[in-house]
Amino acid sequence: MSETAASVSNAPVSNASVNAAPVTTSRGRSARFALRAVQVPLALFFGIASALPKLVAHPSAVEPFERMGWGDAGMYTIGVLELAGAVALSLPLLQSLALSGLMAGAFIVQLTVFDGEDAATPLILLVPLALVAWARRGHTTELLRRVRRVRHVGRMWPSV
């Protein structure tokens, strides 16, 4: 064994150095590709097919919100949330949380306000969103860690 190899093998290993460079395997690349193949169409669907009609007040989007009594404010709010979710699906730190809560709420609204009409749609969309959330749960942990760190730093400064 060479002197360099001996010194490297005896060097202490920290958690930071182990976690810094994850080993990329063929299976890992395939899984990331498959996950991305789910996320991109979902993001396009939510951004174009779902949010855009609400944001431009297309008649097909206006009518359900009038039936619910939510009016234009509700329609635009949901449109903005869907667009934000579509963008979040492309951001690694946010993609695990994108739209899952919104789809759960949409399912409840479909059941309660529209007597179950089209209630399957949010459930069908919730399945791939839950898959993304589960696969990206490490990103959720990192996001929560960052939020806690910001909240902790904020408490250290006196209020003005």
Side-chain angles (χ1 to χ4, degrees), residues 20 28 37 51 137:
R137 63 192 178 278

PDB file of all heavy atoms in Angstrom, residues 20 28 37 51 137:
ATOM      1  N   ALA A  20     -21.431  14.715   2.061  1.00  0.00           N
ATOM      2  CA  ALA A  20     -21.185  15.761   1.079  1.00  0.00           C
ATOM      3  C   ALA A  20     -21.293  15.258  -0.347  1.00  0.00           C
ATOM      4  O   ALA A  20     -21.794  15.950  -1.214  1.00  0.00           O
ATOM      5  CB  ALA A  20     -19.805  16.376   1.300  1.00  0.00           C
ATOM      6  N   GLY A  28     -30.180   4.932  -8.800  1.00  0.00           N
ATOM      7  CA  GLY A  28     -30.494   6.256  -8.279  1.00  0.00           C
ATOM      8  C   GLY A  28     -30.793   7.253  -9.384  1.00  0.00           C
ATOM      9  O   GLY A  28     -31.722   8.047  -9.277  1.00  0.00           O
ATOM     10  N   ALA A  37     -39.915  12.734 -14.359  1.00  0.00           N
ATOM     11  CA  ALA A  37     -40.899  12.475 -15.414  1.00  0.00           C
ATOM     12  C   ALA A  37     -42.327  12.577 -14.875  1.00  0.00           C
ATOM     13  O   ALA A  37     -43.266  12.787 -15.649  1.00  0.00           O
ATOM     14  CB  ALA A  37     -40.666  11.097 -16.034  1.00  0.00           C
ATOM     15  N   ALA A  51     -54.178  26.494 -13.208  1.00  0.00           N
ATOM     16  CA  ALA A  51     -54.034  27.860 -12.687  1.00  0.00           C
ATOM     17  C   ALA A  51     -54.371  28.922 -13.726  1.00  0.00           C
ATOM     18  O   ALA A  51     -55.051  29.906 -13.407  1.00  0.00           O
ATOM     19  CB  ALA A  51     -52.611  28.069 -12.171  1.00  0.00           C
ATOM     20  N   ARG A 137     -38.705  13.474   0.694  1.00  0.00           N
ATOM     21  CA  ARG A 137     -38.867  13.786   2.116  1.00  0.00           C
ATOM     22  C   ARG A 137     -37.595  14.342   2.732  1.00  0.00           C
ATOM     23  O   ARG A 137     -37.650  15.104   3.689  1.00  0.00           O
ATOM     24  CB  ARG A 137     -39.385  12.580   2.877  1.00  0.00           C
ATOM     25  CG  ARG A 137     -38.458  11.388   2.881  1.00  0.00           C
ATOM     26  CD  ARG A 137     -39.177  10.134   3.398  1.00  0.00           C
ATOM     27  NE  ARG A 137     -38.309   8.982   3.370  1.00  0.00           N
ATOM     28  CZ  ARG A 137     -38.072   8.228   2.298  1.00  0.00           C
ATOM     29  NH1 ARG A 137     -38.670   8.512   1.157  1.00  0.00           N
ATOM     30  NH2 ARG A 137     -37.265   7.191   2.356  1.00  0.00           N
TER      31      ARG A 137
END
